[in-house]
Amino acid sequence: MSRFLSPAWRGVLWSLFSSLNFALMGVITKASAQHFPFSSNELATWRNLPATLALGGFALLRGQRFATQHLRAHVIRSVSGSVSTLLYFYTLTLLPLATAVTLGYSSAIFLALLSFILLHEHITHRTVAVLIIGLMGVVVLLRPGFSAGQAWGLSCGLFGAAATGLAHLQLREMSATGEPAWRIVFYFSLVSTLMSAMLATAQGWHAPPLAALPYLFGIGASGLTAQLALTRAYAVGQKFTVAALSYLTVVYSVVFGHYLFRETLGWQEMAGIAIIIAAGLVSITRNPH
């Protein structure tokens, strides 16, 4: 039992817990859209609001400063991250659970591409491998869906993944400046809450019936728990292991989609999912010395 108390094993356990909660958030979001008349923007608001209140309240209690010298970077990161969140919730209402989740994880492909285009980073052999493997996986995954009339949902998922890649690129640059992690996450959560709430207001809010309250609470609780658990995993565990285990969210989603929503994926979709995961794993391996 002592080995399970080591930092590496604690990182593994926190990562497993985080991946499960991210998958549960997708499950509850999809179930909410099926059972109640909520729009995806309403559901995204319920996801983002608890994180905003929790982080903001904690910062106030500790007397931390909200002022920042990196306003432009916060705007780019928060807006791109918010767009990706809104599109992710939207695709959850349109696509099979595993497909929507996998498209979100294809952001590693766009991160590699944007690093070259925007930052003019040197293209390593690994970057080329990520782009080739990842694009192959996307093509394989999307082909059956486009044939089945899911072109709009799949396109939204791809655009959301690109927005996620941009958000992660900006996050990487901001982290190098010494900007506190809590401030980055707080402003992202705040902007996401405001954007989703404004869109939900334009569409029209639905008064939640009593039966919907556990669903709405579950979306916020699972999302916040997943984020906190992932942060803890990176703090105590090995970064490569934690990043690799995060792809278990896709595996969980395949299982949940099959047993809870009776979703069936053909061999092409399963192959596409496997290839995209492989691209993600290649992208986070260390450079050989």
Side-chain angles (χ1 to χ4, degrees):
M1 289 295 293
S2 60
R3 65 173 181 171
F4 288 93
L5 299 178
S6 68
W9 273 104
R10 289 202 301 272
V12 167
L13 294 176
W14 279 115
S15 186
L16 292 173
F17 186 56
S18 170
S19 298
L20 178 61
N21 273 276
F22 273 124
L24 288 175
M25 183 188 72
V27 168
I28 302 171
T29 300
K30 193 170 187 65
S32 300
Q34 289 183 350
H35 297 309
F36 305 100
F38 301 125
S39 68
S40 61
N41 293 313
E42 289 177 276
L43 297 174
T45 302
W46 289 106
R47 157 66 180 93
N48 297 318
L49 185 59
T52 304
L53 296 177
L55 290 169
F58 188 69
L60 287 173
L61 289 175
R62 297 192 60 182
Q64 294 174 314
R65 290 174 54 85
F66 290 89
T68 177
Q69 297 180 343
H70 307 282
L71 181 61
R72 180 177 178 274
H74 272 291
V75 170
I76 297 174
R77 185 271 185 273
S78 298
V79 171
S80 58
S82 299
V83 170
S84 70
T85 300
L86 292 173
L87 287 174
Y88 175 62
F89 271 69
Y90 182 52
T91 56
L92 280 172
T93 67
L94 299 177
L95 301 175
L97 179 64
T99 302
V101 171
T102 305
L103 282 176
Y105 275 87
S106 69
S107 59
I109 305 167
F110 294 98
L111 176 59
L113 186 61
L114 290 171
S115 297
F116 169 68
I117 295 174
L118 299 180
L119 301 182
H120 307 291
E121 291 186 352
H122 174 66
I123 296 184
T124 64
H125 293 301
R126 184 198 304 157
T127 303
V128 174
V130 168
L131 292 175
I132 294 176
I133 297 173
L135 290 174
M136 286 172 53
V138 169
V139 171
V140 173
L141 176 65
L142 298 188
R143 186 175 178 181
F146 273 101
S147 301
Q150 297 176 335
W152 174 245
L154 294 170
S155 299
C156 289
L158 272 181
F159 189 79
T164 302
L166 178 60
H168 287 176
L169 181 67
Q170 194 63 45
L171 177 61
R172 189 178 67 186
E173 296 301 302
M174 290 179 67
S175 298
T177 67
E179 186 75 349
W182 75 265
R183 193 181 293 156
I184 297 173
V185 179
F186 169 75
Y187 281 118
F188 158 65
S189 300
L190 177 62
V191 172
S192 295
T193 301
L194 293 175
M195 287 181 63
S196 58
M198 286 189 293
L199 290 171
T201 300
Q203 290 178 308
W205 288 88
H206 295 88
L210 187 62
L213 295 183
Y215 289 81
L216 300 179
F217 174 80
I219 292 173
S222 58
L224 180 57
T225 300
Q227 194 64 55
L228 293 175
L230 183 62
T231 302
R232 184 60 182 166
Y234 275 111
V236 302
Q238 298 175 350
K239 289 181 173 56
F240 168 75
T241 303
V242 172
L245 287 175
S246 68
Y247 281 88
L248 282 175
T249 299
V250 177
V251 179
Y252 290 139
S253 298
V254 172
V255 176
F256 287 145
H258 176 72
Y259 286 102
L260 298 179
F261 302 107
R262 300 294 184 265
E263 296 173 349
T264 57
L265 299 176
W267 70 268
Q268 289 190 62
E269 289 96 332
M270 295 299 293
I273 289 173
I275 294 171
I276 290 173
I277 291 177
L281 293 177
V282 170
S283 74
I284 57 180
T285 53
R286 296 185 180 91
N287 280 315
H289 296 287

